[in-house]
Amino acid sequence: MEMSSVMAKEKDYLALGRELAREFALTAAERDANGGTAKAERDRIRKSGLLLLRVPKEYGGPNVDWKTVLQIVRELAVADGSLAHVLGYHYLQQVTPHFFGTLEQREKYYRGSLRHNWFWANAINPRDRRVILTPEGKGYRLHGKKSFCSGSKDSDMLVVSAIEPDTNQFVIAVVPSMREGVVIRDDWDCIGQRQTDSGTVEFHQVRVEGEEVLSNPGPGSTPFATLRTVLSQLIQAQILVGIAEGALEESRKFVETRPRVWSGVNNRDDPHILYRFGKMWTHLQAAKHLVDHASEQWQEVWEKQEQLTSEERIECAIQVAVAKTFAADMGLQVTSRIFDVMGASSTNGSLRFDRFWRNLRTLSLHDPLDHKTRQVGDWFLNRKYPHSEFYT
Amino acid sequence: MEMSSVMAKEKDYLALGRELAREFALTAAERDANGGTAKAERDRIRKSGLLLLRVPKEYGGPNVDWKTVLQIVRELAVADGSLAHVLGYHYLQQVTPHFFGTLEQREKYYRGSLRHNWFWANAINPRDRRVILTPEGKGYRLHGKKSFCSGSKDSDMLVVSAIEPDTNQFVIAVVPSMREGVVIRDDWDCIGQRQTDSGTVEFHQVRVEGEEVLSNPGPGSTPFATLRTVLSQLIQAQILVGIAEGALEESRKFVETRPRVWSGVNNRDDPHILYRFGKMWTHLQAAKHLVDHASEQWQEVWEKQEQLTSEERIECAIQVAVAKTFAADMGLQVTSRIFDVMGASSTNGSLRFDRFWRNLRTLSLHDPLDHKTRQVGDWFLNRKYPHSEFYT
Amino acid sequence: MEMSSVMAKEKDYLALGRELAREFALTAAERDANGGTAKAERDRIRKSGLLLLRVPKEYGGPNVDWKTVLQIVRELAVADGSLAHVLGYHYLQQVTPHFFGTLEQREKYYRGSLRHNWFWANAINPRDRRVILTPEGKGYRLHGKKSFCSGSKDSDMLVVSAIEPDTNQFVIAVVPSMREGVVIRDDWDCIGQRQTDSGTVEFHQVRVEGEEVLSNPGPGSTPFATLRTVLSQLIQAQILVGIAEGALEESRKFVETRPRVWSGVNNRDDPHILYRFGKMWTHLQAAKHLVDHASEQWQEVWEKQEQLTSEERIECAIQVAVAKTFAADMGLQVTSRIFDVMGASSTNGSLRFDRFWRNLRTLSLHDPLDHKTRQVGDWFLNRKYPHSEFYT
Amino acid sequence: MEMSSVMAKEKDYLALGRELAREFALTAAERDANGGTAKAERDRIRKSGLLLLRVPKEYGGPNVDWKTVLQIVRELAVADGSLAHVLGYHYLQQVTPHFFGTLEQREKYYRGSLRHNWFWANAINPRDRRVILTPEGKGYRLHGKKSFCSGSKDSDMLVVSAIEPDTNQFVIAVVPSMREGVVIRDDWDCIGQRQTDSGTVEFHQVRVEGEEVLSNPGPGSTPFATLRTVLSQLIQAQILVGIAEGALEESRKFVETRPRVWSGVNNRDDPHILYRFGKMWTHLQAAKHLVDHASEQWQEVWEKQEQLTSEERIECAIQVAVAKTFAADMGLQVTSRIFDVMGASSTNGSLRFDRFWRNLRTLSLHDPLDHKTRQVGDWFLNRKYPHSEFYT
């Protein structure tokens, strides 16, 4: 395994993230056209050391605070929504044993991450109940197919959800991507987020050891153990904001560099163009403050670990829900309306400026926005909120 | 020339348009992926007789009323924005001699259309001043390049704008697409309206006869002669509405045929999905009434011909401006928000449901929407409106 | 009874309505401040002959078409939402025997209207179940209170809904406002529509004759008999549009007559002010076309009378629902945003420009807009629509 | 002078502000109806000690940080927009000598504030150029009328702007409200913010001493000295957010305490009502984060005092502009749409729930929102921003 032997000082991680963002931006349009696996960029991430930021100090990791980590995800999204997605979801899977597993499992997978620089991915879509985990000897057999497995291609470790036939409940296991019987299909073809490799993973009678199942305390068992969903939503919120910021920055550059006169007015002085820029940037600022605030709350609830109460969990989940739904609405507007400030020539196919809308539109459909807003309203009015669901 | 020998009765033209729309819908997604020239579909249009609807009775044509003709354009747009565009713009070019030319030219080109079933296109972008028309003997030479020439590929006749060096004014000429020196490049690549062939046309010292120049009365000479822009805008408005309607209909079909349960609620009973459908359909109805009303006003001003006053021209232009800007805003919302009712699986790349937004976004940038809205406001407040411009 | 002895020719009714609107506009702000009953204006309406427009020819009336009648209501609303409301609701009550009653009742009340120039009102709020109708001899006794009785004060005839204890169903009766035991309270005090006299009516053991109960065919018995709700909604839609138009016209006059310079730009040339005017006027046009279209459909379904099918009834109800919800949303925007074009000085209390928003906001809450939009969506998606309800 | 002899510990000021807010909320609707001067409430503020929060420690004051002070203003606005306005503008005037005056003037007015518990107000409207300051002996005479003088009635000290005839420039002076020749008219009558006493102040040959004129460094002389406008805008932003929050809280209480069933659904479970609550609360959160962030930036630039650079001033002004325009748009929506969740009975006149919209609409017109948004866009695109204006 090859990686940056000396990790940068903590304050430099953000700079490192931005450096990668600058690199990835250069090829983002081209890679959007190609789709498929961003192998070179994934390897660049591997070498950068960014995969390890969340490994705790007690296991030898840098334990970078969540706000920085999430900001790195967002800055990557400014350049490339897909790579931000695979990195963000890597963190989500990497800490999954921390939520659901024993102390031993937590240690095992954090240390393994550090030693092998694993790129984590998931095969967890809870709406797809086709994967079954049946006991066999001291372990299990995993069989079936799972869709929407973000980051699976070129991954090292998979977090998998499966139905246990006896209980008809989901269980979560960690399975190396290279294990015999695991087939990761290259079948992801979507209008946006085209390099997230969110395709199908097949499990052909895959052997799973007992200690690979995260059943103690298990999903949803404690307030802390239900936080995984909140983190998933927060990562999405950050990426949505990042994509919108990328769109707005690109449109600024376009207008800066392409003088255009209409009705005798230069585009850089056009009151309607300035107004639209002002409005879009204003809404972007609002979204940034919402996700920043949610990240800070997230750091707090994370630090409470098993002391976390259900009420605190809900307070954080609400902030995340607010940030995500606002970011989605804002982003749909911004990514669609940048064209009004750029004008007709910005629809040139080679520029691929539509990718911002396609990326944001795709990601924003992860779970229904309207349901989330209604749940926020239910909490505001009735102080009711789902204790724990896969999407709240 | 091969075409339907017996034209359908007048009331059947709309049915004919719908029949073609149904055919074209079957391959719209695939052709959006391919881009390029819709050769088979263009030939299907040729054979259908639709190219001739606007030829006046006095020259042997069916003289179908504008409302029907424009509705046919809109219904095509429900299926395929590109084909609606090329057909709509065909009508626009075909009647251009009627606006700008002498009675002899009017007759010549209408009769020629009828005899040869010409597919008209344009090389007219007034913001591109590179094409020059210089006198030579009794005629002229045309030289230079023109961008955004919708429908040019596979066309039979071109309406061309060029600068006359002496006056630095635009003149308009009609040139057969096959004439020596005309090179129609296959370089249209845009995020939307991908089969409109709106690429570059090159004129290499092309011979133009004196009677091919439409200079009597010429562009902008009378209120009637300034109507060409209004028609252009009205065609765009119809297509914008059609694209949005196509998007909404597809999303209905998708939801009808793909049951999906979320939080225990079937998608067909989900109040948020029903609400979004209700809102989108409501706004679509508003847009349809606006374009229908504008079409009726258009038929009226058309019938006034040279009796048309400047005031009547403006009244009609305002209605068209209102219809177009409303349709664009409505359409941007609808084509983006259909995904919220369909859910994540609708982003599947093979469905290409993003094409509605891409098509509408591309077409809606023809000229800046905000300027048009401001002009409408200037008229409402101050009774000021541009007497005649290329975009109003 | 004193009234215009010679009714104007049919084409002059609209002019008459506009004349009254001009008169009422002069005192609208002052009367908004006062609230209470617009006695002088109601008498002016009485004398004008407008109360009789819908009396059929067979009973000696002018039978003015619905589109004209509804446009008169809208034009009154441009000047004064309250007076438009009482006139619109007068028509609604006046034709109620036509929907629910026998041919004899229809004739009796139309002829009575013509002879006595009755101003009709209602005590019908179906959500208020406190009024009871109990049999007594050949007739009944009416007892209890009813809220939201628009136009009741100074009315001549009341359409009343009451619960029949045996069936627990609503029945509808016609009761003269002056009958012994009827007490019309002057307790209407609302933020808007302040002169609609929509207060409480008390019935103290009021005698009702058998032939005053409209039970054959009775409410909801046939598609035609369910149309009363549709008419009620259509009248509301017209008034909503009228109020918004009034607001926009007032803001135009204000800007025209009050020069104001900001950042060196005159308000009449300010691109943002022009843009806002353009946008508001555009949306107003959309709403006007929707209500006009709905009025035309309404005239058609009205003419079908007992031949009307349930499907046709729904088609019309949907158009009305679309027009009303669009008008409400548009109107809330326009009446709130006119201040942005007028500036701070327009908030001067004596101008009472807030009355447009207060009127529109009040009327638009008659029944929940969101439910209606969801129902429209349910129809679009599932072809489901309530067969007949008091609010659809 | 009578006031709380012992000021609460710093952390208790916010609690104190909330206590007053609770008191004022009880009579807010009634006082909105009355208009005029909120004498009892102003005296309550006087006694509370809140007038002194910003007096620096070096002059014996508590020097409460700006974020707390501004939050107190916002919390008052939740209860009553007018009282928040007079308190917020009190702080603005109280620190005006700090921006424009000498160290001696700064000390004089801070110490005077502390000793006499002055309630400050302004007569400063820069668009009203009728007040003239002419030299007379060692001092001046002030003469003329000034409009929009918020808080002037019942005030102790006035900050006045006047034209110096020689230079035609504005100068700023501090004049006791009781001085001979000062007449504060009771002529404020507006649709909203009805108890801000923002009426006319007349100056009848009022004597002004030389040391009462704030001319060293004077307005706009340094980046710090241009900050007064930024503070004014920030106070407005806080009040706008507070008004919207008050509206939303009232609507929640209304729905909580008034069960209502529609189409068989209880209002507290109605998905559309919950959705609207969720949306409004989400947007309110965004606005709160924006104003909080702006307050923090404000505290920073304040602390830089004369070290403040022009660039830092602009950065802060932009954040404030973003917060204010967002708050205004959000607030217009929330104060208008709360009625949709409450239903028709909430338009009852005695509840005066329209006051939130009227207050917010009135305050939000202080200067044109669209201009500000365009300026934000100009900064985003071109890095241009007005160095210093009275409204930016």
Side-chain angles (χ1 to χ4, degrees), chain A residues 123-126 128-134 140-146 159-175 203 206 208 213 219 390:
Chain A
I124 217 165
N125 176 11
D128 183 343
R129 303 174 64 91
R130 293 175 295 168
V131 177
I132 309 296
L133 186 78
T134 38
Y140 303 88
R141 286 284 167 190
L142 196 62
H143 192 77
K145 294 180 187 182
K146 188 69 87 172
V159 176
V160 185
S161 80
I163 297 287
E164 228 178 8
D166 286 358
T167 63
N168 206 24
Q169 297 291 312
F170 272 110
V171 287
I172 304 285
V174 177
V175 178
F203 300 92
V206 174
V208 175
V213 174
F390 266 109

Side-chain angles (χ1 to χ4, degrees), chain A residues 17-73:
Chain A
R18 285 176 178 150
E19 190 188 319
L20 264 66
R22 270 190 302 276
E23 291 176 33
F24 297 164
L26 301 175
T27 53
E30 183 189 337
R31 287 182 293 101
D32 167 66
N34 297 340
T37 307
K39 179 59 180 161
E41 290 71 22
R42 291 175 60 97
D43 284 345
R44 179 70 181 91
I45 292 171
R46 279 186 170 95
K47 285 193 187 176
S48 73
L50 285 182
L51 294 179
L52 306 175
L53 301 187
R54 283 300 312 158
V55 178
K57 285 215 186 308
E58 56 199 291
Y59 308 123
N63 194 39
V64 177
D65 67 284
W66 276 111
K67 192 170 178 195
T68 302
V69 168
L70 291 163
Q71 192 174 346
I72 289 171
V73 171

Side-chain angles (χ1 to χ4, degrees), chain D residues 142-290:
Chain D
L142 196 64
H143 192 78
K145 295 181 186 180
K146 188 68 87 176
S147 61
F148 286 112
C149 301
S150 289
S152 52
K153 199 85 191 174
D154 183 51
S155 69
D156 303 302
M157 294 296 277
L158 285 173
V159 177
V160 185
S161 81
I163 298 286
E164 227 178 8
D166 286 357
T167 60
N168 206 25
Q169 296 292 311
F170 273 109
V171 287
I172 304 286
V174 177
V175 178
S177 309
M178 297 298 139
R179 183 163 293 175
E180 192 182 347
V182 176
V183 177
I184 298 171
R185 303 204 64 91
D186 196 13
D187 61 355
W188 176 248
D189 173 25
C190 222
I191 62 171
Q193 295 293 80
R194 291 173 52 73
Q195 290 201 316
T196 56
D197 296 300
S198 303
T200 308
V201 176
E202 298 171 3
F203 299 93
H204 298 274
Q205 301 295 352
V206 175
R207 177 70 191 173
V208 175
E209 304 305 324
E211 64 265 27
E212 291 176 325
V213 174
L214 306 175
S215 58
N216 184 5
S221 52
T222 66
F224 183 73
T226 68
L227 279 182
R228 188 183 178 281
T229 304
V230 180
L231 178 56
S232 155
Q233 295 284 321
L234 178 53
I235 290 166
Q236 291 169 39
Q238 295 281 3
I239 300 170
L240 293 170
V241 174
I243 293 171
E245 185 171 351
L248 193 56
E249 288 296 335
E250 284 296 314
S251 69
R252 167 160 72 176
K253 283 181 210 156
F254 188 88
V255 173
E256 277 176 355
T257 53
R258 309 240 190 160
R260 181 195 198 212
V261 174
W262 200 276
S263 298
V265 180
N266 194 293
N267 55 355
R268 294 184 67 167
D269 302 321
D270 185 318
H272 305 299
I273 290 177
L274 297 178
Y275 181 87
R276 283 199 179 269
F277 268 126
K279 208 69 165 180
M280 291 192 285
W281 192 75
T282 293
H283 287 182
L284 179 65
Q285 298 317 300
K288 288 175 93 163
H289 288 304
L290 284 172

Side-chain angles (χ1 to χ4, degrees), chain C residues 232-301:
Chain C
S232 154
Q233 296 284 320
L234 179 53
I235 289 166
Q236 292 170 37
Q238 295 281 2
I239 300 170
L240 294 170
V241 174
I243 293 172
E245 185 170 352
L248 193 57
E249 288 297 335
E250 284 296 313
S251 69
R252 166 158 74 175
K253 284 181 208 156
F254 187 88
V255 172
E256 275 176 356
T257 54
R258 309 240 189 160
R260 180 194 198 212
V261 174
W262 200 277
S263 298
V265 180
N266 193 293
N267 56 354
R268 294 184 65 168
D269 301 322
D270 185 319
H272 305 299
I273 290 177
L274 296 178
Y275 181 86
R276 283 199 181 270
F277 269 126
K279 208 68 164 180
M280 290 191 287
W281 193 74
T282 294
H283 287 181
L284 178 65
Q285 299 317 299
K288 287 175 92 163
H289 288 304
L290 284 172
V291 291
D292 279 347
H293 179 70
S295 290
E296 285 160 17
Q297 273 213 277
W298 169 255
Q299 179 70 32
E300 282 179 33
V301 301

Side-chain angles (χ1 to χ4, degrees), chain B residues 318 321-322 372-380 385, chain C residues 278 281-282:
Chain B
I318 288 287
V322 159
K372 206 168 281 299
T373 297
R374 190 197 63 235
Q375 289 174 331
V376 168
D378 206 3
W379 180 81
F380 174 69
Y385 198 72
Chain C
W281 193 74
T282 294

